[in-house]
Amino acid sequence: AIESGVAQKTITDWETYAIELDKRLGLDNQLMRVLGAKARRNPKRLVFAEADNIKILKSAQIAYDERIAYPILLGDEKTIRQMALDNSIDIDDMPIIDPRNDEYEEKRKQFGELFFKKRQRKGVNQYEATKMMKDRTYFGCMMVENGDADAVISGLTRNYADAIRPALQVIGMEEGVKKIAGMYMLLTKRGPLFLADTTVNLNPTAEELADITLLAAKEVRSFNLVPRIAMLSYSNFGSSDTPEAKLVARAKDIVKEKDPTIIIDGEMQPNIAFNQEILRDNYPFSELVDQEVNTLIFPNLAAGNIAYNLMKEIGGADAVGPILLGLKKPVHVLQLGSSVRSITNMALIAVIDAQLKCQNAGQEAAK
Ligand code: ACO
């Protein structure tokens, strides 16, 4: 029923939105259009965990109308239906699930058992595990883990850290990943710019920073772009002999050891990363000479988080994110109070993530 739900309308809104955005930013950025088209080629079942919020409901409608996703709405059915009616939102084809409802007792039990197996030695007892499935974030993550949905977005109405924990506990990390991280894509006049870690790890070690960089590079490649990475600090190529600057330089070396083909340099200041003249004149040895940097890696969470917010508020860039990197399955946690446009963008990112992860899982299964 979920699969057949999307009406075959001719929809051009996504393109209109992308073109308007391009005009506003004064750029010819095709990325969002390309991503929209990519999502539409293979829409996925996307759980909106806070569907009794009007912004979420509007985003679900846009995602549905634009054929980028098959929304599944979590929340109190009566509230959702009333809200849809009051706002002329057509949700007839969208399944509504209220995890607290008696109707879903069996499902809660099934999910609770699965969750208990994962967390029994982490202080969760069986009764608690089942009870926790009344929480929509846990239930939504469990739907993805259990294959009842392809992706979930949540977190609009709760603290970011509290919304990440269910994803870590239920879904966990991709093989080989030690820490998840957060990335923002900023649509700027000079094209898309990727920033990490902007949302998760407070003070990464050099090894962790290298892992964050590799996760970000992988994500940038998934958008069909070649990552050109500047590892940022307040120092340029050893100009400051401090532990913070050295940590970033060491992280760059580790990345290079792990992936010798990657285009990366640092530690460096952002103004140097974007000024070819200074770079060429003063640091002609740098790998980033004649390269257009599109990925910025920050030494810690404070720097990354402050930078993206400044670029968004003062620099006028449109921010898409936070995109969670390194989770085994597509769970994306919204920033508290995100706009309808941000939520819709994240729905798009979640669908593309799901396409990629399904494809990878298929390849693994075929081995
Ligand atoms: N990647 C993967 N797993 C992690 C990570 C990570 N980066 N950090 C912690 N964990 C795991 C731990 O291993 C632990 O697993 P376990 O329970 O299976 O043993 C579990 O998560 C909880 O560990 P804690 O040490 O208790 O971690 P914490 O409670 O600090 O939560 C969190 C982790 C939420 C990611 C934390 O790092 C955090 O609060 N980060 C900052 C979030 C934030 O404030 N961001 C800025 C604003 S958000 C925005 O701008 C959109």
Side-chain angles (χ1 to χ4, degrees):
I2 295 169
E3 294 286 344
S4 62
V6 173
Q8 296 298 308
K9 301 178 199 167
T10 310
I11 288 149
T12 53
D13 277 359
W14 192 263
E15 272 91 344
T16 314
Y17 156 70
I19 291 164
E20 272 170 12
L21 181 68
D22 283 0
K23 269 196 216 143
R24 188 165 65 73
L25 294 171
L27 50 85
D28 182 27
N29 186 341
Q30 295 196 341
L31 188 60
M32 295 311 283
R33 264 174 282 173
V34 171
L35 294 183
K38 193 173 172 183
R40 271 201 299 267
R41 275 199 293 276
N42 185 9
K44 296 287 176 190
R45 297 165 302 169
L46 176 59
V47 177
F48 290 80
E50 295 147 309
D52 54 3
N53 178 291
I54 184 62
K55 289 197 275 187
I56 296 281
L57 206 57
K58 281 184 180 167
S59 302
Q61 184 197 23
I62 296 170
Y64 174 85
D65 282 351
E66 314 238 340
R67 289 187 283 140
I68 62 173
Y70 307 118
I72 302 169
L73 310 177
L74 297 196
D76 177 63
E77 183 163 354
K78 230 168 126 188
T79 312
I80 294 172
R81 291 211 180 281
Q82 190 59 49
M83 197 176 270
L85 199 67
D86 292 347
N87 293 277
S88 310
I89 299 172
D90 180 3
I91 55 165
D92 280 356
D93 292 327
M94 300 181 204
I96 303 175
I97 296 174
D98 183 355
R100 290 171 311 174
N101 201 313
D102 288 349
E103 204 185 324
Y104 296 100
E105 193 180 341
E106 269 312 303
K107 207 67 190 166
R108 282 200 304 271
K109 246 176 149 175
Q110 184 200 351
F111 286 172
E113 268 166 35
L114 259 172
F115 186 66
F116 179 58
K117 278 195 189 127
K118 289 173 187 282
R119 305 297 296 177
Q120 58 192 357
R121 289 183 187 275
K122 299 270 182 188
V124 177
N125 66 42
Q126 191 147 19
Y127 170 77
E128 275 174 335
T130 306
K131 200 171 154 212
M132 282 164 85
M133 295 307 129
K134 285 190 174 175
D135 179 301
R136 287 179 276 164
T137 312
Y138 278 102
F139 193 93
C141 287
M142 211 34 110
M143 284 182 77
V144 175
E145 178 65 0
N146 197 45
D148 296 337
D150 301 308
V152 56
I153 52 175
S154 68
L156 182 74
T157 55
R158 64 200 292 188
N159 174 290
Y160 187 71
D162 290 343
I164 302 184
R165 275 190 206 100
L168 286 171
Q169 293 169 0
V170 172
I171 305 280
M173 283 166 285
E174 261 172 336
E175 216 181 296
V177 172
K178 294 194 196 94
K179 289 238 159 136
I180 63 159
M183 186 175 92
Y184 264 91
M185 173 164 79
L186 293 178
L187 304 175
T188 74
K189 285 196 171 73
R190 55 184 309 289
L193 202 55
F194 299 87
L195 277 63
D197 179 352
T198 46
T199 57
V200 182
N201 299 287
L202 305 181
N203 286 301
T205 62
E207 285 73 19
E208 287 168 352
L209 196 58
D211 288 346
I212 290 168
T213 309
L214 289 164
L215 277 177
K218 187 173 157 199
E219 189 73 13
V220 174
R221 287 191 190 109
S222 80
F223 296 128
N224 287 340
L225 297 166
V226 176
R228 296 182 167 83
I229 308 168
M231 305 284 287
L232 298 181
S233 181
Y234 50 76
S235 150
N236 293 303
F237 310 104
S239 68
S240 170
D241 195 25
T242 54
E244 290 107 325
K246 282 183 181 165
L247 184 148
V248 175
R250 171 81 192 117
K252 189 271 299 176
D253 290 342
I254 299 171
V255 172
K256 213 56 191 168
E257 277 160 29
K258 291 190 176 175
D259 182 356
T261 61
I262 206 162
I263 302 166
I264 185 169
D265 220 335
E267 88 291 352
M268 67 203 301
Q269 291 177 293
N271 52 328
I272 309 291
F274 291 114
N275 192 323
Q276 279 298 325
E277 216 175 295
I278 307 181
L279 193 65
R280 216 177 293 121
D281 289 352
N282 297 281
Y283 311 103
F285 56 85
S286 173
E287 273 198 23
L288 295 178
V289 169
D290 293 333
Q291 298 287 350
E292 248 185 58
V293 169
N294 60 10
T295 308
L296 302 177
I297 303 297
F298 292 86
N300 56 40
L301 182 60
N305 194 278
I306 291 167
Y308 97 75
N309 274 308
L310 276 176
M311 286 188 66
K312 196 170 101 181
E313 295 302 324
I314 310 288
D318 207 43
V320 180
I323 303 171
L324 273 182
L325 309 174
L327 282 170
K328 199 160 48 189
K329 293 183 181 170
V331 177
H332 292 283
V333 174
L334 300 163
Q335 188 177 10
L336 197 71
S338 298
S339 65
V340 173
R341 197 175 67 216
S342 310
I343 302 164
T344 313
N345 280 335
M346 283 313 293
L348 173 62
I349 297 288
V351 168
I352 288 177
D353 196 8
Q355 288 177 347
L356 201 76
K357 282 177 174 148
C358 288
Q359 196 182 324
N360 292 346
Q363 281 166 1
E364 280 301 309
K367 273 185 195 168

